[in-house]
Structures are given as C-alpha cells and as structure tokens.
Amino acid sequence: MYVTAAILSVVLALVSLAAGVPKLLLKGDVPVKLQEHMGLSAGLVRLIGVAEVAAAGGLVVGLFWQPLGIAAAVGFALMMAGAVAFHARAGDYADPAARGNALAPVVLTVLSVAAAVTLGLAM
C-alpha cells in the first residue's frame, strides 16, 4: 500500500508545485485568467499559490511522516473541491471550451482523497 501512496503523493506534489509556483509569482496565463474570468484578486491568487506549494511540500515530507502527508492530501482535496465550486459558479462545466480545464480539479480531488486513504492505510 505504501508504494501506491508514494506514487500518488509524488504525482500530486509535482502537479501542485507546477500549478502553485506561477500563481505564487503571478506569472503566466493562469493567474491572469483567474483574476479576469473568476474575479479573484491578485492577493487571493497568491494565497492559492502558497497553499499549493505548501501542499507539495507536505506531500513529499508526508512520505516519511504519514500524518503530515495525510493532512496535506486532505487540505489539497479541500482546495480542489473549492476550485470545482468556483468553476461551477463560473459556468465552466457547461462551456465546452472551458470544460477541459475545469475537469482537472475534479480529477485532482479524487486523487488527493486516494492519496490520503492510502497514506492512512500504509501507517
């Protein structure tokens, strides 16, 4: 079970880091789209970036201390559930052009829950 937890944690950490750094630095298209399309402030986008980078760190350290990994995975799942709610409120699931990007948080929520469960079972 630990191997599954490790794979899920590493994949989620890489995705979380790759998504969080541009938001933290307010660089690239994603932070601009979050501000324009979703109506988020620059400060909130940075806060989301900080949370995603922290989740990546927690998932990696959680490979050696499972309680932290479980907490990071649960926190990341809650953050992705919030992203799903924001996409739903913006109507992205009804828009074929935006649906692909909006489905990523759904998949990441499921993977985060799976990581938390497998880390818990690996203890």
Side-chain angles (χ1 to χ4, degrees), residues 39-109:
L40 302 179
S41 68
L44 185 55
V45 172
R46 270 206 173 112
L47 180 64
I48 293 168
V50 167
E52 288 176 343
V53 170
L59 286 162
V60 171
V61 174
L63 293 173
F64 306 100
W65 189 48
Q66 280 87 2
L68 180 61
I70 294 168
V74 168
F76 192 65
L78 292 173
M79 189 168 36
M80 290 298 103
V84 169
F86 266 90
H87 281 290
R89 188 170 55 171
D92 291 343
Y93 296 110
D95 181 10
R99 191 176 301 140
N101 289 337
L103 287 176
V106 174
V107 172
L108 292 174
T109 302

